[in-house]
Short mmCIF file of all heavy atoms in Angstrom, two decimals:
data_model
loop_
_atom_site.label_atom_id
_atom_site.label_comp_id
_atom_site.label_asym_id
_atom_site.label_seq_id
_atom_site.Cartn_x
_atom_site.Cartn_y
_atom_site.Cartn_z
N LEU A 765 -1.61 14.14 34.07
CA LEU A 765 -1.34 15.02 35.20
C LEU A 765 -2.65 15.44 35.88
O LEU A 765 -2.73 15.47 37.11
CB LEU A 765 -0.56 16.25 34.74
CG LEU A 765 -0.11 17.22 35.82
CD1 LEU A 765 0.80 16.52 36.82
CD2 LEU A 765 0.60 18.41 35.20
N ALA A 766 -3.66 15.73 35.08
CA ALA A 766 -4.96 16.10 35.65
C ALA A 766 -5.57 14.94 36.44
O ALA A 766 -6.13 15.15 37.53
CB ALA A 766 -5.92 16.54 34.54
N ILE A 767 -5.45 13.73 35.93
CA ILE A 767 -5.96 12.56 36.65
C ILE A 767 -5.16 12.36 37.94
O ILE A 767 -5.73 12.07 39.00
CB ILE A 767 -5.89 11.30 35.76
CG1 ILE A 767 -6.85 11.43 34.57
CG2 ILE A 767 -6.20 10.04 36.56
CD1 ILE A 767 -8.30 11.64 34.93
N TRP A 768 -3.86 12.49 37.86
CA TRP A 768 -3.00 12.32 39.04
C TRP A 768 -3.42 13.28 40.16
O TRP A 768 -3.43 12.91 41.33
CB TRP A 768 -1.55 12.56 38.66
CG TRP A 768 -0.59 12.30 39.77
CD1 TRP A 768 -0.16 13.18 40.72
CD2 TRP A 768 0.04 11.06 40.08
NE1 TRP A 768 0.70 12.57 41.58
CE2 TRP A 768 0.85 11.26 41.21
CE3 TRP A 768 0.02 9.80 39.48
CZ2 TRP A 768 1.62 10.25 41.76
CZ3 TRP A 768 0.78 8.80 40.03
CH2 TRP A 768 1.57 9.02 41.17
N ASN A 769 -3.78 14.50 39.79
CA ASN A 769 -4.14 15.52 40.78
C ASN A 769 -5.62 15.50 41.17
O ASN A 769 -6.03 16.27 42.03
CB ASN A 769 -3.77 16.91 40.25
CG ASN A 769 -2.28 17.09 40.18
OD1 ASN A 769 -1.54 16.58 41.01
ND2 ASN A 769 -1.82 17.80 39.16
N ASP A 770 -6.41 14.64 40.54
CA ASP A 770 -7.83 14.56 40.83
C ASP A 770 -8.06 13.80 42.15
O ASP A 770 -7.48 12.75 42.38
CB ASP A 770 -8.54 13.83 39.68
CG ASP A 770 -10.04 13.98 39.72
OD1 ASP A 770 -10.64 13.74 40.79
OD2 ASP A 770 -10.61 14.31 38.67
N ASP A 771 -8.91 14.35 42.99
CA ASP A 771 -9.20 13.72 44.29
C ASP A 771 -9.81 12.33 44.14
O ASP A 771 -9.65 11.48 45.01
CB ASP A 771 -10.14 14.60 45.11
CG ASP A 771 -9.48 15.89 45.56
OD1 ASP A 771 -8.24 15.92 45.63
OD2 ASP A 771 -10.21 16.86 45.81
N ARG A 772 -10.53 12.10 43.02
CA ARG A 772 -11.17 10.80 42.82
C ARG A 772 -10.15 9.70 42.50
O ARG A 772 -10.48 8.53 42.55
CB ARG A 772 -12.18 10.89 41.68
CG ARG A 772 -13.33 11.83 42.00
CD ARG A 772 -14.19 12.05 40.80
NE ARG A 772 -13.44 12.84 39.81
CZ ARG A 772 -13.88 13.17 38.61
NH1 ARG A 772 -15.06 12.75 38.21
NH2 ARG A 772 -13.15 13.90 37.80
N ALA A 773 -8.93 10.08 42.18
CA ALA A 773 -7.91 9.10 41.80
C ALA A 773 -7.27 8.42 43.00
O ALA A 773 -6.60 7.40 42.85
CB ALA A 773 -6.83 9.77 40.95
N TRP A 774 -7.47 8.97 44.18
CA TRP A 774 -6.78 8.46 45.37
C TRP A 774 -7.73 8.23 46.52
O TRP A 774 -8.63 9.00 46.77
CB TRP A 774 -5.69 9.46 45.79
CG TRP A 774 -4.74 9.73 44.69
CD1 TRP A 774 -4.75 10.80 43.84
CD2 TRP A 774 -3.66 8.89 44.26
NE1 TRP A 774 -3.74 10.68 42.91
CE2 TRP A 774 -3.05 9.52 43.16
CE3 TRP A 774 -3.16 7.68 44.72
CZ2 TRP A 774 -1.97 8.97 42.50
CZ3 TRP A 774 -2.06 7.13 44.05
CH2 TRP A 774 -1.48 7.77 42.97
N SER A 775 -7.47 7.17 47.23
CA SER A 775 -8.16 6.88 48.48
C SER A 775 -7.07 6.80 49.53
O SER A 775 -6.39 5.78 49.66
CB SER A 775 -8.93 5.57 48.40
OG SER A 775 -9.52 5.26 49.64
N GLY A 776 -6.85 7.91 50.21
CA GLY A 776 -5.69 8.00 51.09
C GLY A 776 -4.45 8.09 50.23
O GLY A 776 -4.30 9.02 49.44
N ASP A 777 -3.60 7.09 50.33
CA ASP A 777 -2.40 7.08 49.49
C ASP A 777 -2.44 5.95 48.45
O ASP A 777 -1.44 5.65 47.81
CB ASP A 777 -1.14 6.95 50.35
CG ASP A 777 -1.12 5.66 51.15
OD1 ASP A 777 -2.16 5.00 51.23
OD2 ASP A 777 -0.05 5.32 51.69
N ARG A 778 -3.63 5.35 48.26
CA ARG A 778 -3.78 4.25 47.31
C ARG A 778 -4.58 4.69 46.10
O ARG A 778 -5.58 5.40 46.23
CB ARG A 778 -4.49 3.08 47.99
CG ARG A 778 -3.67 2.52 49.15
CD ARG A 778 -4.25 1.26 49.67
NE ARG A 778 -4.25 0.27 48.59
CZ ARG A 778 -4.92 -0.86 48.66
NH1 ARG A 778 -5.64 -1.16 49.71
NH2 ARG A 778 -4.89 -1.70 47.65
N PRO A 779 -4.18 4.26 44.90
CA PRO A 779 -4.95 4.60 43.69
C PRO A 779 -6.30 3.87 43.68
O PRO A 779 -6.41 2.75 44.15
CB PRO A 779 -4.06 4.13 42.55
CG PRO A 779 -3.02 3.25 43.14
CD PRO A 779 -2.96 3.52 44.59
N THR A 780 -7.28 4.55 43.11
CA THR A 780 -8.63 4.00 43.02
C THR A 780 -8.86 3.39 41.63
O THR A 780 -8.01 3.51 40.74
CB THR A 780 -9.68 5.10 43.25
OG1 THR A 780 -9.56 6.06 42.20
CG2 THR A 780 -9.51 5.77 44.60
N ALA A 781 -10.03 2.79 41.44
CA ALA A 781 -10.40 2.26 40.13
C ALA A 781 -10.44 3.39 39.09
O ALA A 781 -10.08 3.19 37.93
CB ALA A 781 -11.75 1.55 40.21
N PHE A 782 -10.89 4.55 39.51
CA PHE A 782 -10.90 5.74 38.63
C PHE A 782 -9.51 5.98 38.06
O PHE A 782 -9.33 6.21 36.86
CB PHE A 782 -11.39 6.95 39.44
CG PHE A 782 -11.36 8.26 38.70
CD1 PHE A 782 -12.43 8.65 37.93
CD2 PHE A 782 -10.26 9.10 38.82
CE1 PHE A 782 -12.41 9.87 37.26
CE2 PHE A 782 -10.23 10.32 38.15
CZ PHE A 782 -11.32 10.71 37.37
N PHE A 783 -8.51 5.93 38.92
CA PHE A 783 -7.12 6.13 38.49
C PHE A 783 -6.70 5.05 37.50
O PHE A 783 -6.14 5.34 36.45
CB PHE A 783 -6.20 6.11 39.71
CG PHE A 783 -4.75 6.18 39.36
CD1 PHE A 783 -4.13 7.40 39.19
CD2 PHE A 783 -3.99 5.01 39.21
CE1 PHE A 783 -2.78 7.47 38.86
CE2 PHE A 783 -2.65 5.07 38.88
CZ PHE A 783 -2.04 6.31 38.71
N TRP A 784 -6.94 3.78 37.83
CA TRP A 784 -6.47 2.68 36.99
C TRP A 784 -7.15 2.66 35.62
O TRP A 784 -6.50 2.37 34.62
CB TRP A 784 -6.65 1.35 37.72
CG TRP A 784 -5.68 1.21 38.85
CD1 TRP A 784 -5.98 1.12 40.17
CD2 TRP A 784 -4.25 1.19 38.76
NE1 TRP A 784 -4.83 1.05 40.92
CE2 TRP A 784 -3.75 1.08 40.07
CE3 TRP A 784 -3.35 1.26 37.71
CZ2 TRP A 784 -2.39 1.04 40.35
CZ3 TRP A 784 -1.99 1.21 37.98
CH2 TRP A 784 -1.53 1.11 39.29
#
Side-chain angles (χ1 to χ4, degrees):
L765 184 60
I767 294 302
W768 185 271
N769 292 325
D770 194 310
D771 292 337
R772 296 171 291 177
W774 304 99
S775 176
D777 61 346
R778 297 189 60 193
T780 64
F782 176 87
F783 175 87
W784 289 116

